[in-house]
Amino acid sequence: MAELVGVFGVPHNPLLWETLRPPYPDDLERAAENFDRFSGLIQDSGAETLVIVGSDHFRRFFFDNSPAIIVGKAERYPTGYPNEIRTFGIEPNEVAGDVAISEAILGTTNLPGNFDLGMSNEWLLDHAYSIPLRYLTPRHDLAVVPIHTNCNMPPVPTARRFVELGEYLRTAIEAAPVDRKVAIVTTGHLATDLGGPKQFLGGASPDAEFDAQAVEWMRTGSIADAIDGCGFERLVNAGNVTLQFMNLLTGLAAAGGRPATFAEGTASRYAAMAFFHWDTPRSGR
Amino acid sequence: MSRYEVNKIMAYVDGDPEPLEQFSADPAGFVDAWERRATETHVPSLDAGPLTDEERKAIIDLDYGALYAMGAHPYLLIHFARAVECDARGANFATWKEEYRAQVTPHGYPPFFT
């Protein structure tokens, strides 16, 4: 049976691709340290596969075809869209998939009872996936199962649904009939605005109160409070892409709603970056 | 108006080098071809679509404040605008982003669902 060996929450700001590299600028040293810490934790855990819960940015899934939640099932995933390469200098790459874990999540002939998930057999991954992979697995030597959640194109799933997704992923991974160590990586934002009046404030948060509350939910393992605090209007008021914070709720729930072993909103020239980690004692142990 | 059609043309221009180059060189010509293609087939496509007079004018004039106020998706809007102004036309991002902010700020946070 597969084993869930860790759950993480990380940022995926594409501007990091060119700025978060040695020698690290003073304001990004802490982010580099956090990514290194998490990369070490993944290595120490023996994880062979990363299930990455993120939100594609209108490239693979656009308004003409927008699933609520969709799971990759492919042998390989290329990364890097032309606009990301042009604007952010992101280099294209390719990572291996893990079809057995995809099947554990999706089923093969019928979908799981409580989740009508979409499936993708061919998927060019964007920076929601390539940024975490670059810093968590610099050698790109772990297999990946990407999951896209629609946090960008309303109507979006509710916060409660993101929690249920996390609970489901833990159960499905632990029931997978393969010998595999799996970590879940969730990626999203604290208060972040893009395209609106509060974008690019030079390190000031568009909503410091939300950031502090969000980190506290993770530090204390307060799922019910987090669901209450993540209504659509509240999240958008914190910045128009803050809806992606809900991916991090999936992480909290996948870890059984336990207090994070590490929870920080890391300050830099950018909006605060979410770095969360949970240990994952096996269910029922 | 259709926020979907506005989002579609912005994402298309930002998405690949050729459309970005074509649009940046001749916005009116690009938009004309975009709308014409939509009349040539009944099959929906991500490289063609109809626009209202208001949408067409805002896109051709690169009126980011007007597009924002209409409910164009802010993520797609900033990336479209940055692609045209900075990547294609060479504006300095650090200074240009403040011009963008001045254009959208009066409009607050309009709804952007499609």
Side-chain angles (χ1 to χ4, degrees), chain A residues 172-232:
Chain A
I173 289 166
E174 290 184 344
V178 288
D179 180 18
R180 195 84 88 248
K181 291 185 174 178
V182 178
I184 294 176
V185 174
T186 61
T187 182
H189 302 300
L190 294 171
T192 303
D193 201 46
L194 272 175
K198 295 185 289 189
Q199 69 172 352
F200 304 127
L201 297 176
S205 174
D207 191 331
E209 189 184 330
F210 177 81
D211 290 347
Q213 197 174 44
V215 171
E216 189 65 8
W217 291 328
M218 300 299 179
R219 198 184 63 75
T220 55
S222 303
I223 282 194
D225 290 348
I227 290 172
D228 287 347
C230 288
F232 184 91

Side-chain angles (χ1 to χ4, degrees), chain A residues 85-102:
Chain A
I85 296 165
R86 181 197 69 231
T87 300
F88 305 116
I90 287 174
E91 294 150 30
N93 210 322
E94 190 176 80
V95 289
D98 186 338
V99 168
I101 296 300
S102 295

Side-chain angles (χ1 to χ4, degrees), chain A residues 19-39:
Chain A
T19 54
L20 191 64
R21 55 178 70 206
Y24 296 113
D26 289 348
D27 70 305
L28 290 173
E29 271 183 10
R30 182 65 178 171
E33 191 181 312
N34 288 343
F35 268 126
D36 284 349
R37 174 184 294 117
F38 286 8
S39 179

Side-chain angles (χ1 to χ4, degrees), chain A residues 15 57-59 62-64 82-83 86-88 127 152 154 193-201 240-241, chain B residues 4 7-8 11 14-16 20 46 68 73-76 78-79 82-83 87 93 97 100-101 105 109 112 114:
Chain A
L15 297 168
H57 299 75
F58 309 94
R59 286 293 153 205
F62 191 63
F63 293 89
D64 63 320
N83 65 315
R86 181 197 69 231
T87 300
F88 305 116
H127 66 271
N152 294 326
D193 201 46
L194 272 175
K198 295 185 289 189
Q199 69 172 352
F200 304 127
L201 297 176
N240 52 32
V241 292
Chain B
Y4 171 65
N7 290 342
K8 189 163 72 168
D14 175 48
D16 280 296
L20 176 59
L46 290 178
Y68 183 76
H73 197 293
Y75 181 97
L76 292 172
I78 182 61
H79 286 84
R82 179 179 178 165
D87 295 350
F93 178 69
K97 70 178 167 49
Y100 174 95
R101 192 194 313 280
T105 297
Y109 282 85
F112 57 87
T114 50

Side-chain angles (χ1 to χ4, degrees), chain A residues 21-257:
Chain A
R21 55 178 70 206
Y24 296 113
D26 289 348
D27 70 305
L28 290 173
E29 271 183 10
R30 182 65 178 171
E33 191 181 312
N34 288 343
F35 268 126
D36 284 349
R37 174 184 294 117
F38 286 8
S39 179
L41 287 167
I42 286 173
Q43 201 166 352
D44 293 347
S45 76
E48 299 155 283
T49 295
L50 302 180
V51 172
I52 307 185
V53 181
S55 298
D56 171 84
H57 299 75
F58 309 94
R59 286 293 153 205
R60 185 67 184 83
F61 308 107
F62 191 63
F63 293 89
D64 63 320
N65 191 8
S66 174
I69 305 171
I70 185 165
V71 179
K73 183 182 175 185
E75 299 281 355
R76 312 285 308 171
Y77 299 94
T79 69
Y81 282 82
N83 65 315
E84 303 179 304
I85 296 165
R86 181 197 69 231
T87 300
F88 305 116
I90 287 174
E91 294 150 30
N93 210 322
E94 190 176 80
V95 289
D98 186 338
V99 168
I101 296 300
S102 295
E103 288 182 347
I105 295 168
L106 281 162
T108 51
T109 56
N110 278 127
L111 289 166
N114 295 329
F115 263 99
D116 295 322
L117 299 163
M119 180 187 74
S120 175
N121 281 146
E122 187 172 41
W123 185 347
L124 175 59
L125 301 176
D126 81 351
H127 66 271
Y129 308 88
S130 61
I131 292 282
L133 283 170
R134 174 183 173 178
Y135 295 108
L136 295 177
T137 63
R139 290 188 297 280
H140 291 86
D141 50 354
L142 301 189
V144 167
V145 175
I147 298 179
H148 159 79
T149 64
N150 175 26
C151 288
N152 294 326
M153 296 173 272
V156 302
T158 61
R160 181 175 301 281
R161 201 61 174 148
F162 282 83
V163 164
E164 289 167 356
L165 175 64
E167 291 165 347
Y168 170 68
L169 289 176
R170 182 180 72 244
T171 305
I173 289 166
E174 290 184 344
V178 288
D179 180 18
R180 195 84 88 248
K181 291 185 174 178
V182 178
I184 294 176
V185 174
T186 61
T187 182
H189 302 300
L190 294 171
T192 303
D193 201 46
L194 272 175
K198 295 185 289 189
Q199 69 172 352
F200 304 127
L201 297 176
S205 174
D207 191 331
E209 189 184 330
F210 177 81
D211 290 347
Q213 197 174 44
V215 171
E216 189 65 8
W217 291 328
M218 300 299 179
R219 198 184 63 75
T220 55
S222 303
I223 282 194
D225 290 348
I227 290 172
D228 287 347
C230 288
F232 184 91
E233 293 297 330
R234 177 67 190 100
L235 291 178
V236 172
N237 286 342
N240 52 32
V241 292
T242 312
L243 292 165
Q244 287 187 44
F245 176 75
M246 292 192 290
N247 286 326
L248 303 162
L249 292 186
T250 296
L252 173 60

Side-chain angles (χ1 to χ4, degrees), chain B residues 35-73:
Chain B
E35 292 194 90
R36 189 162 19 85
R37 277 196 299 276
T39 66
E40 290 169 353
T41 171
H42 74 287
V43 180
S45 166
L46 290 178
D47 69 353
L51 295 168
T52 66
D53 291 346
E54 184 191 14
E55 292 161 357
R56 184 181 310 109
K57 183 174 185 337
I59 292 275
I60 291 173
D61 293 350
L62 294 169
D63 185 344
Y64 305 122
L67 291 166
Y68 183 76
M70 286 177 202
H73 197 293

